[in-house]
Amino acid sequence: MIIVKTKRLHISKIVLKDAAFFLQLMNTPGFLKYIGDRNIKTIADAKAYLKSGLLKSYKVHGFGYYKLTLKEEPDRPIGIVGILKRDVLEHPDVGFALLPEYERLGYSYEASIEILKLAKDRFSLKKITAITNPDNDKSIKLLEKLGLKLEQRTDPFNEGKDLLLFGKVL
């Protein structure tokens, strides 16, 4: 189900049939380096991850991560963008990830702008945050371009690893 369309993208709810795409995305070098290894090694792992996390978020919070496809290729996912409410953070956070061949083409920015509008207008969120690795320059630049400001260093997952927490009042 398409949630919103942009000039170049369709932003849709994720479904279990997207498990093969998630297996691919979550094992890209950038995902593993900056987001982390979620130990998704099979389609079955990806389906379990979707059921217990991303699909559950739609039911519990009304929002979550969404699949990005190009308008010209609506059956071929290129990435994800969305909002999660994590227990370890006070406010919901925005996130994004693309397959490597679609990075640096403006798709994350284009999709994130629409997700921030949804956060405010449809989900009535008052503030949005984001967390990222301090060495993830691409993510930091995008968050700043979206109007999020660095608020603090934090270790929300108690892994002994500082992350940068950005925030924006909507």
Side-chain angles (χ1 to χ4, degrees):
M1 175 173 83
I2 295 175
I3 300 296
V4 67
K5 295 178 183 182
T6 70
K7 182 179 176 184
R8 303 179 294 166
L9 300 168
H10 289 166
I11 302 172
S12 308
K13 278 193 169 182
I14 293 163
V15 294
L16 272 182
K17 289 186 221 174
D18 295 319
F21 163 67
F22 269 84
L23 175 63
Q24 178 186 8
L25 179 69
M26 296 177 85
N27 286 288
T28 61
F31 197 100
L32 294 169
K33 179 178 180 180
Y34 294 119
I35 299 171
D37 188 348
R38 300 292 189 256
N39 201 30
I40 307 298
K41 305 301 179 202
T42 66
I43 300 266
D45 293 341
K47 284 182 178 179
Y49 180 84
L50 290 175
K51 285 179 187 176
S52 68
L54 302 184
L55 299 179
K56 183 178 175 184
S57 181
Y58 295 145
K59 291 178 185 171
V60 174
H61 302 291
F63 53 79
Y65 276 110
Y66 301 95
K67 173 178 58 177
L68 302 178
T69 57
L70 298 175
K71 280 187 175 178
E72 303 85 47
E73 297 181 74
D75 295 327
R76 186 169 179 225
I78 66 164
I80 58 172
V81 66
I83 309 161
L84 281 184
K85 177 57 187 108
R86 301 174 199 262
D87 292 338
V88 297
L89 295 175
E90 182 179 356
H91 301 283
D93 70 295
V94 65
F96 36 80
L98 294 175
L99 294 174
E101 60 268 33
Y102 297 99
E103 292 177 351
R104 299 184 183 263
L105 299 172
Y107 294 127
S108 290
Y109 177 74
E110 186 175 326
S112 294
I113 287 289
E114 293 302 320
I115 291 299
L116 292 178
K117 286 179 190 173
L118 288 174
K120 181 180 180 183
D121 299 337
R122 187 180 298 177
F123 306 126
S124 302
L125 299 179
K126 303 294 180 212
K127 182 175 182 177
I128 199 82
T129 58
I131 49 175
T132 190
N133 268 315
D135 60 344
N136 190 344
D137 294 332
K138 290 187 295 187
S139 181
I140 292 167
K141 286 177 185 172
L142 178 54
L143 293 172
E144 290 172 341
K145 187 175 180 180
L146 291 167
L148 282 83
K149 305 287 184 210
L150 179 61
E151 293 185 349
Q152 66 183 27
R153 286 184 172 265
T154 184
D155 181 11
F157 306 109
N158 295 315
E159 297 174 335
K161 182 176 162 185
D162 273 354
L163 299 174
L164 301 179
L165 176 74
F166 287 77
K168 177 180 182 174
V169 174
L170 300 176

